[in-house]
Amino acid sequence: MRIEENGGESASVNHLIFAYYVTGHGFGHATRVVEVVRNLIAAGHDVHVVTGAPDFVYTSEIQSPRLFLRKLVLDCGAVQADALTVDRLASLQKYSETAVRPRDSILATEVEWLYSIKADLVVSDVVPVACRAAAEAGIRSVCVTNFSWDFIYAEYVMAAGYHHRSIVWQIAEDYSHCEFLIRLPGYCPMPAFRDVIDVPLVVRRLHKSRKEVRKELRIGEDVKLVILNFGGQPAGWKLKEDYLPSGWLCLVCGASDTQELPPNFLKLPKDAYTPDLIAASDCMLGKIGYGTVSEALAYKLPFVFVRRDYFNEEPFLRNMLEFYQSGVEMIRRDLLTGHWKPYLERAISLKPCYEGGINGGEVAAHILQETAIGKNYASDKLSGVRRLRDAIVLGYQLQRVPGRDVSIPEWYTNAENELGLGTGSPTSEMSESNAITEFCTDDFEILHGDLQGLSDTRSFLNSLVELNNVSDSEKNNEKRQMRERKAAAGLFNWEEDIFVTRAPGRLDVMGGIADYSGSLVLQMPIREACHVAVQRNHPSKHRLWKHALARQNAKGQGPMPVLQIVSYGSELSNRGPTFDMDLSDFMEGEQPISYEKANKYFAQDPSQKWAAYVAGTILVLMKELGVRFEDSISMLVSSAVPEGKGVSSSAAVEVASMSAIAAAHGLSISPRELALLCQKVENHIVGAPCGVMDQMTSACGEANKLLAMVCQPAEIIGLVTIPSHIRFWGIDSGIRHSVGGADYGSVRIGAFMGRKIIKATASTRLSQSMSTANGASPDEVDNDGLELLEAEASLDYLCNLSPHRYEALYANLLPQSMLGEVFLEKYVDHGDTVTVIDKKRTYSVTAAAKHPVYENFRVKAFKALLTSASSNEQLTALGELLYQCHYSYSACGLGSDGTDRLVQLVQEMQHGKASRVDDGTLYGAKITGGGSGGTVCVVGRNCLRSSQHILEIQQRYKKATGYLPFIFEGSSPGVGKFGYLKIRRSIAPKS
């Protein structure tokens, strides 16, 4: 509603003017906007649509002089690397170019344009700057959407670098000027909006009946018809006749004019009206988007979908699709190789059951009309963005944390409760009372190993009992049963042996990113752990999933060894819950494939890339130990170690997986060797340049002790018992950490550059000293100095350089930073086998090289202090070393706002009056692991008051950011101490 200078309202209910802004992301937004606009125009109003979509999308449905099209894109949406994968960094960069840099001119232009058309209401789907422009023009604005770009971009920022986070805050700030949100079903968390009105599905109406469409296409009712709908991007795919079951036809949307199709594939015109075609089909094959999902539900069409990676709207639409029994997930590998038959046949057996409204366009248009003439739908609540601030970035992590007891904001709970979704894996959802329930020996008996009193292991075994019962009673037919539970229920032959292993995550107390430079590290295995259950079966007795069976049948070779994995927690992240492969895929002739080929194999489908951590252990055993796997393997992975927190969730999965595989195949591998093998999985198959301390702690650690290890490459020098008066905690910042992230890798490269420069400098000095020494008498030659230079000229690890030598000879010679190309021209290579220098990138050298030199010294001092006499001075010194380490991280560029805030809160607690009265509680804190977010390690006195202060910090952090951090406390044994369990279902239940 436009406000005139005299304070009067200009709008008339008979003739309103709407400015409707449409995002540049795909056609789906344009097609749903069409339905709202059509209803507004039918009510007699003018609608000016600001869009980048082709005219025919609107004019084919609306022929009216009241429709005005203005070609303009004010946000780019998500840039797609291909039809199924979003390029996260490119998306942020493109948005910056489209909407951030020209922002001032955009606002000026849009305000002037809104005045010129005398707009009564601005509607946005879901262009952020439109809301801000409306506010500056004094016009009310409303958003109509199922997601918002602050939520979508939040994870992109975490993955692509925090220097982009201002984009998310700016978008949220723009949305906060919106009057309210008209929210569509299948919605994501949208914290920036103050008020919400829910409407039914917005679905385009049908023009023709199924019979009419089939008649025009000359397709009989007896022909099974699938519509291929990937948003107009299948042009580069090679479609083959045998992709379809016999007697089927496929309608192809968006094929290029030059694309040749097999006779059972029919090319559709680019302007084809897809709702009619969808309703006339028997199922749809495509990627998930609001348009495809809404029309599949509305017309009760089974939808075979392939995950679209890194578009965070998808999990919510996918859950809705599956809830109404309309969805079948296809593995991307099977899509591209043509193994469609089992999925299509499964789809047509479904009975879609959506009975909700499909008149959302009409309902939304009525609300918009009422708003434009002055009806007030909004409350007086404060702007969500101003209350949540950092939570807009951090909030996304809530759906990525399996089974954590966190305070979930209302905006997420609502999205979750609408579909009755859970928030964790079966293991981690167990209540405390369930966790201490005795293992059901009536169902299984333990043939080898000991539970060691670990309640989480008992819970995992009880979850296997539940799966056995699910399989027996066919409870997996319930609509709300998670797909991962259904897959797991049919995974094992319950009459055969199952091997179970457990590997914990770790808290990096000291050492952190200095491990790859040879430092001493001190690591504590945490209470949270990953459990893996493995069973091997002869290929002829292995129960295959339908698509895996179809793939084998197509090869015509008879039963061959297959790997099938189910991973719990997938519903809370953008990954597929299952993975399968023929183990022959790991072979090239008589030899295992290279690690490079394995990396590419798992990278081809990002939604299943997680399987590299699990399946990669098999390839490493093949290559390094010469093991050959002739049986099929079934694996269930259930990890309570949260991802992205810097507590080595990946190492826990690798170590638990490899130890379970080893146990099932009778392999004897020492914990140390196991850790080194698992590091190869992470470095070479996953492609993350981590050191070995994570795997070593998970494999060799013991409860309530710090694993002391010199990483040259992995010499365990002992276990340091944590004194009874000292305690360590981990506090999660909520900022997602990734060891594979660019920041960690660049700091590692900078450290290796520094080492190469130091070696070159030492070599030059040595040559000069030797030349001088040749002309001197023996008494004048400083042999000790020459020996030091010789050692430094062949320096294997930076940590072997003492701080005083570093300061005396090298500190002032290292460049602050260096362009990759310049370094390579002068030094050829940096000597690190797991990272690659980008010629066009500038790397920090001084800070990255200085950190490990001083960190090694700090860790040695920390270890010595731990064994000294108990005193307040001891705790103060330990805390000071943690603080020094934290700020050294920051100097490297590996800090984050969240972890800095937590360290500051510890300092405030340490120096507060209450702590001084209590003789001290908390003494120091530092960022851990790879940095750039993750978890903070805190050292303090082991007393009740310290724990209370930790909880107080937790609440203060939540008040400041909106995010309640998870607290890691307690310790548990590594896999070497735990061993393995061998269990088998009892043949006859005991009385």
Side-chain angles (χ1 to χ4, degrees):
M1 180 181 62
R2 190 171 62 259
I3 308 299
E4 302 289 358
E5 290 183 5
N6 62 9
E9 298 177 0
S10 68
S12 163
V13 69
N14 296 321
H15 181 225
L16 300 166
I17 299 173
F18 294 88
Y20 211 132
Y21 288 81
V22 188
T23 182
H25 180 77
F27 280 8
H29 296 266
T31 55
R32 73 184 181 197
V33 164
V34 164
E35 191 60 22
V36 181
V37 170
R38 186 180 66 79
N39 280 281
L40 288 172
I41 289 176
H45 308 305
D46 288 358
V47 183
H48 294 255
V49 179
V50 183
T51 180
D55 289 355
F56 77 81
V57 175
Y58 301 93
T59 56
S60 62
E61 183 68 4
I62 306 171
Q63 295 86 35
S64 170
R66 293 188 180 278
L67 173 65
F68 302 88
L69 298 178
R70 177 176 171 229
K71 285 299 183 66
L72 182 65
V73 176
L74 293 178
D75 78 72
C76 62
V79 177
Q80 295 193 180
D82 56 44
L84 294 169
T85 305
V86 170
D87 187 325
R88 292 173 287 183
L89 179 57
S91 297
L92 294 171
Q93 291 173 336
K94 183 70 172 177
Y95 186 86
S96 183
E97 294 169 6
T98 306
V100 177
R101 292 173 193 165
R103 179 177 173 80
D104 291 342
S105 63
I106 287 173
L107 285 171
T109 301
E110 294 313 300
V111 169
E112 183 179 349
W113 178 73
L114 290 171
Y115 280 138
S116 72
I117 66 168
K118 299 183 178 179
D120 294 299
L121 186 71
V122 170
V123 190
S124 176
D125 183 353
V126 62
V127 181
V129 74
C131 303
R132 180 57 180 269
E136 295 200 0
I139 304 170
R140 296 169 79 179
S141 64
V142 176
C143 283
V144 184
T145 186
N146 64 306
F147 73 84
S148 56
W149 288 114
D150 53 332
F151 176 76
I152 300 297
Y153 286 159
E155 197 210 16
Y156 298 2
V157 169
M158 295 170 197
Y162 285 89
H163 54 288
H164 290 292
R165 62 192 165 186
S166 60
I167 290 177
V168 176
W169 289 335
Q170 184 63 71
I171 289 172
E173 180 67 30
D174 285 346
Y175 285 145
S176 72
H177 293 284
C178 164
E179 194 86 6
F180 61 89
L181 165 68
I182 295 177
R183 187 168 62 182
L184 306 179
Y187 55 81
C188 305
M190 291 182 273
F193 295 102
R194 293 168 287 174
D195 292 278
V196 172
I197 300 174
D198 288 305
V199 299
L201 284 173
V202 176
V203 182
R204 289 180 289 175
R205 59 181 179 167
L206 296 181
H207 292 166
K208 300 174 184 175
S209 69
R210 171 188 172 96
K211 188 174 181 180
E212 289 173 323
V213 172
R214 284 187 169 240
K215 184 177 180 180
E216 288 182 3
L217 295 173
R218 298 179 181 177
I219 298 172
E221 282 295 327
D222 59 327
V223 175
K224 293 298 181 185
L225 192 62
V226 57
I227 181 166
L228 186 68
N229 191 353
F230 278 91
Q233 298 184 60
W237 297 349
K238 183 70 173 176
L239 301 172
K240 297 180 181 179
E241 187 173 353
D242 61 3
Y243 284 11
L244 300 178
S246 177
W248 282 62
L249 285 177
C250 180
L251 304 178
V252 182
C253 300
S256 68
D257 295 334
T258 59
Q259 188 173 5
E260 294 293 329
L261 296 180
N264 52 350
F265 286 78
L266 180 62
K267 189 183 302 181
L268 295 173
K270 283 189 166 45
D271 59 352
Y273 190 63
T274 52
D276 288 346
L277 295 162
I278 288 173
S281 300
D282 295 290
C283 67
M284 176 160 52
L285 171 56
K287 64 181 179 182
I288 287 180
Y290 180 85
T292 51
V293 169
S294 63
E295 287 164 5
L297 292 174
Y299 307 130
K300 293 184 169 55
L301 186 78
F303 189 173
V304 179
F305 62 85
V306 183
R307 294 200 182 209
R308 183 166 44 153
D309 305 306
Y310 309 129
F311 196 70
N312 304 319
E313 167 198 23
E314 182 183 274
F316 298 89
L317 293 173
R318 185 176 71 241
N319 287 330
M320 183 168 68
L321 195 66
E322 293 174 349
F323 178 76
Y324 292 111
Q325 298 185 56
S326 296
V328 175
E329 180 176 346
M330 176 185 279
I331 297 171
R332 182 182 300 193
R333 185 170 74 248
D334 287 341
L335 170 73
L336 299 177
T337 56
H339 291 286
W340 296 6
K341 182 178 178 180
Y343 301 99
L344 298 179
E345 291 177 344
R346 166 66 178 150
I348 61 174
S349 73
L350 295 179
K351 299 188 185 311
C353 59
Y354 180 77
E355 299 294 345
I358 59 173
N359 63 334
E362 179 184 351
V363 175
H366 177 75
I367 295 170
L368 294 173
Q369 175 183 280
E370 293 292 291
T371 304
I373 62 174
K375 183 170 181 178
N376 185 17
Y377 285 97
S379 69
D380 295 327
K381 288 189 293 185
L382 291 174
S383 164
V385 69
R386 294 188 179 91
R387 285 184 288 105
L388 293 175
R389 288 288 295 172
D390 292 358
I392 293 163
V393 173
L394 305 183
Y396 182 75
Q397 295 309 300
L398 291 172
Q399 79 161 338
R400 295 262 173 153
V401 185
R404 292 290 149 246
D405 182 18
V406 295
S407 177
I408 299 180
E410 183 182 358
W411 52 263
Y412 183 72
T413 305
N414 289 343
E416 195 172 33
N417 289 344
E418 182 181 69
L419 300 177
L421 305 177
T423 57
S425 69
T427 302
S428 54
E429 281 177 350
M430 298 264 177
S431 66
E432 194 63 31
S433 60
N434 284 339
I436 60 174
T437 302
E438 285 302 316
F439 175 50
C440 301
T441 52
D442 283 352
D443 292 275
F444 287 97
E445 56 181 315
I446 298 177
L447 304 175
H448 177 275
D450 182 3
L451 295 181
Q452 300 185 23
L454 294 164
S455 61
D456 61 340
T457 302
R458 188 176 294 112
S459 294
F460 178 71
L461 295 182
N462 281 333
S463 77
L464 292 181
V465 173
E466 291 175 7
L467 289 179
N468 180 21
N469 294 335
V470 166
S471 181
D472 287 347
S473 64
E474 296 185 352
K475 288 181 182 178
N476 52 316
N477 287 327
E478 296 178 10
K479 287 194 300 184
R480 297 183 181 215
Q481 189 77 39
M482 287 191 296
R483 286 183 307 130
E484 58 192 33
R485 298 284 313 267
K486 287 191 270 185
L491 189 63
F492 298 118
N493 179 349
W494 299 108
E495 308 299 328
E496 300 294 334
D497 294 347
I498 297 173
F499 295 81
V500 175
T501 54
R502 178 193 185 278
R506 67 94 186 94
L507 182 65
D508 166 34
V509 175
M510 286 293 286
I513 57 166
D515 60 340
Y516 53 71
S517 293
S519 179
L520 171 67
V521 298
L522 297 173
Q523 308 293 308
M524 184 181 82
I526 59 176
R527 183 176 57 187
E528 291 72 20
C530 173
H531 287 86
V532 172
V534 166
Q535 185 179 73
R536 54 186 290 198
N537 280 296
H538 189 275
S540 63
K541 297 180 180 179
H542 194 217
R543 288 186 292 182
L544 294 176
W545 293 323
K546 288 183 179 179
H547 63 271
L549 180 61
R551 188 173 64 235
Q552 284 221 343
N553 290 339
K555 292 182 179 180
Q557 298 175 335
M560 299 291 289
V562 172
L563 170 66
Q564 294 185 156
I565 309 171
V566 175
S567 171
Y568 280 160
S570 64
E571 297 302 319
L572 303 171
S573 62
N574 189 24
R575 69 171 189 259
T578 64
F579 173 85
D580 67 274
M581 64 178 291
D582 297 334
L583 286 175
S584 59
D585 290 350
F586 276 153
M587 297 298 291
E588 198 168 50
E590 297 297 318
Q591 297 298 319
I593 63 173
S594 68
Y595 289 139
E596 183 181 6
K597 287 185 177 179
N599 176 268
K600 292 178 180 177
Y601 179 89
F602 290 107
Q604 64 187 347
D605 187 351
S607 71
Q608 292 196 314
K609 190 176 180 181
W610 60 267
Y613 296 97
V614 183
T617 62
I618 293 175
L619 179 61
V620 168
L621 290 173
M622 293 169 69
K623 289 184 70 68
E624 305 300 328
L625 300 186
V627 181
R628 292 295 177 264
F629 295 92
E630 298 178 354
D631 286 339
S632 290
I633 301 171
S634 297
M635 302 183 71
L636 174 63
V637 180
S638 178
S639 182
V641 185
E643 300 171 30
K645 306 300 180 189
V647 289
S648 297
S649 59
S650 60
V653 170
E654 291 156 357
V655 170
S657 297
M658 186 175 287
S659 59
I661 292 288
H665 291 81
L667 304 176
S668 179
I669 306 174
S670 71
R672 181 182 182 277
E673 184 183 7
L674 187 83
L676 292 171
L677 292 171
C678 288
Q679 186 195 17
K680 290 183 182 293
V681 176
E682 184 126 9
N683 286 171
H684 303 302
I685 299 178
V686 176
C690 71
V692 75
M693 70 179 190
D694 301 352
Q695 290 82 3
M696 279 290 179
T697 309
S698 191
C700 306
E702 293 187 18
N704 301 312
K705 295 179 181 180
L706 300 181
L707 181 76
M709 180 178 72
V710 176
C711 302
Q712 302 190 16
E715 181 188 351
I716 296 174
I717 61 173
L719 291 157
V720 182
T721 300
I722 300 171
S724 59
H725 67 286
I726 293 176
R727 191 170 183 180
F728 296 100
W729 295 266
I731 308 179
D732 160 37
S733 70
I735 296 177
R736 190 170 178 82
H737 148 89
S738 171
V739 75
D743 289 338
Y744 173 90
S746 66
V747 172
R748 175 170 176 147
I749 288 171
F752 276 86
M753 282 181 167
R755 186 188 68 137
K756 190 65 175 274
I757 295 170
I758 287 171
K759 289 175 66 176
T761 302
S763 182
T764 300
R765 288 177 180 263
L766 180 63
S767 298
Q768 293 171 345
S769 299
M770 292 290 288
S771 298
T772 304
N774 286 338
S777 64
D779 294 337
E780 295 174 330
V781 177
D782 182 3
N783 288 319
D784 292 337
L786 291 177
E787 287 179 4
L788 281 172
L789 287 174
E790 284 177 356
E792 289 155 7
S794 58
L795 191 66
D796 289 332
Y797 296 95
L798 260 177
C799 290
N800 291 340
L801 182 65
S802 62
H804 74 271
R805 287 288 291 181
Y806 170 80
E807 290 292 347
L809 299 180
Y810 306 108
N812 294 329
L813 297 178
L814 290 180
Q816 291 293 320
S817 61
M818 200 167 192
L819 184 67
E821 188 173 30
V822 173
F823 176 86
L824 291 173
E825 286 178 359
K826 188 170 183 179
Y827 299 101
V828 183
D829 68 78
H830 64 319
D832 183 18
T833 59
V834 298
T835 57
V836 178
I837 294 175
D838 182 348
K839 290 183 179 181
K840 303 303 179 184
R841 182 165 185 173
T842 298
Y843 296 91
S844 172
V845 177
T846 297
K850 181 179 180 180
H851 174 82
V853 171
Y854 278 87
E855 182 70 357
N856 189 42
F857 173 79
R858 286 190 289 262
V859 182
K860 289 178 178 178
F862 195 94
K863 180 174 178 289
L865 281 166
L866 279 175
T867 57
S868 65
S870 171
S871 66
N872 200 59
E873 288 74 19
Q874 176 203 32
L875 283 162
T876 301
L878 289 170
E880 181 61 29
L881 290 170
L882 287 186
Y883 286 138
Q884 288 182 20
C885 174
H886 178 78
Y887 293 111
S888 185
Y889 262 79
S890 297
C892 292
L894 292 177
S896 76
D897 287 352
T899 49
D900 284 348
R901 190 191 296 272
L902 284 170
V903 171
Q904 182 181 352
L905 288 171
V906 171
Q907 290 175 352
E908 291 172 1
M909 196 66 68
Q910 176 186 0
H911 300 299
K913 291 182 179 178
S915 183
R916 291 197 295 271
V917 170
D918 292 335
D919 293 327
T921 55
L922 307 182
Y923 287 86
K926 65 176 273 285
I927 193 171
T928 63
S932 295
T935 294
V936 161
C937 173
V938 182
V939 64
R941 193 182 300 278
N942 186 14
C943 62
L944 178 61
R945 188 64 179 151
S946 295
S947 295
Q948 291 172 340
H949 282 171
I950 290 289
L951 293 175
E952 188 175 335
I953 288 171
Q954 181 190 45
Q955 293 301 321
R956 288 187 185 181
Y957 189 80
K958 180 190 175 185
K959 185 177 180 180
T961 67
Y963 179 82
L964 184 72
F966 180 75
I967 296 173
F968 296 95
E969 52 184 336
S971 182
S972 67
V975 88
K977 208 66 174 167
F978 179 84
Y980 68 90
L981 303 177
K982 183 166 77 169
I983 63 174
R984 184 187 297 165
R985 184 178 180 179
S986 301
I987 297 175
K990 299 175 183 177
S991 58

